[in-house]
Amino acid sequence: MIAMTDEQRNASETTQAAKLPTILAVQASGSASLRLTWSDGIKGELDLIGVLADRHFEALRDPGTFAQVGVGEWGHSLAWASGVALGADMLRHEMELTQMRRERP
């Protein structure tokens, strides 16, 4: 077991957090899909039809409301005027899973 001081632990967490990509830009590209640009240069499309099926995201099922998406504070989320937000880490994970599925033979 390696013992770390609080200062070392905080520095380690800060370094890890700094490495996580953030969202630079977002544009609705359909009634349930987004085009995202990340701080590490990755760009891609993400279909959120499955996410929007959850009752918590009912407000975003309206295409006009969905299209009003914006990048949240510091690029760590996407946000809508209705108060709905999606975290960048979840979005990146979903985007990577989608890409892996597309690449399979």
Side-chain angles (χ1 to χ4, degrees):
M1 182 169 149
I2 299 174
M4 294 176 76
T5 65
D6 286 339
E7 185 176 323
Q8 289 170 321
R9 187 176 301 109
N10 290 339
S12 174
E13 290 171 359
T14 300
T15 300
Q16 289 174 357
K19 292 180 183 179
L20 295 175
T22 56
I23 302 168
L24 296 179
V26 62
Q27 179 181 8
S29 56
S31 62
S33 59
L34 301 170
R35 185 173 298 120
L36 296 165
T37 303
W38 297 87
S39 61
D40 59 358
I42 300 294
K43 295 179 181 183
E45 295 272 335
L46 182 60
D47 184 352
L48 295 177
I49 195 86
V51 173
L52 299 185
D54 186 295
R55 66 182 175 87
H56 294 99
F57 301 107
E58 184 175 351
L60 301 183
R61 292 183 202 148
D62 173 68
T65 301
F66 184 80
Q68 296 175 358
V69 63
V71 177
E73 191 171 312
W74 301 101
H76 294 287
S77 65
L78 295 180
W80 285 265
S82 64
V84 174
L86 294 172
D89 53 346
M90 184 279 293
L91 293 165
R92 181 61 178 248
H93 179 72
E94 288 296 320
M95 202 166 122
E96 289 172 352
L97 285 175
T98 299
Q99 184 66 30
M100 286 182 356
R101 288 182 195 122
R102 287 182 185 156
E103 291 175 354
R104 286 186 184 164

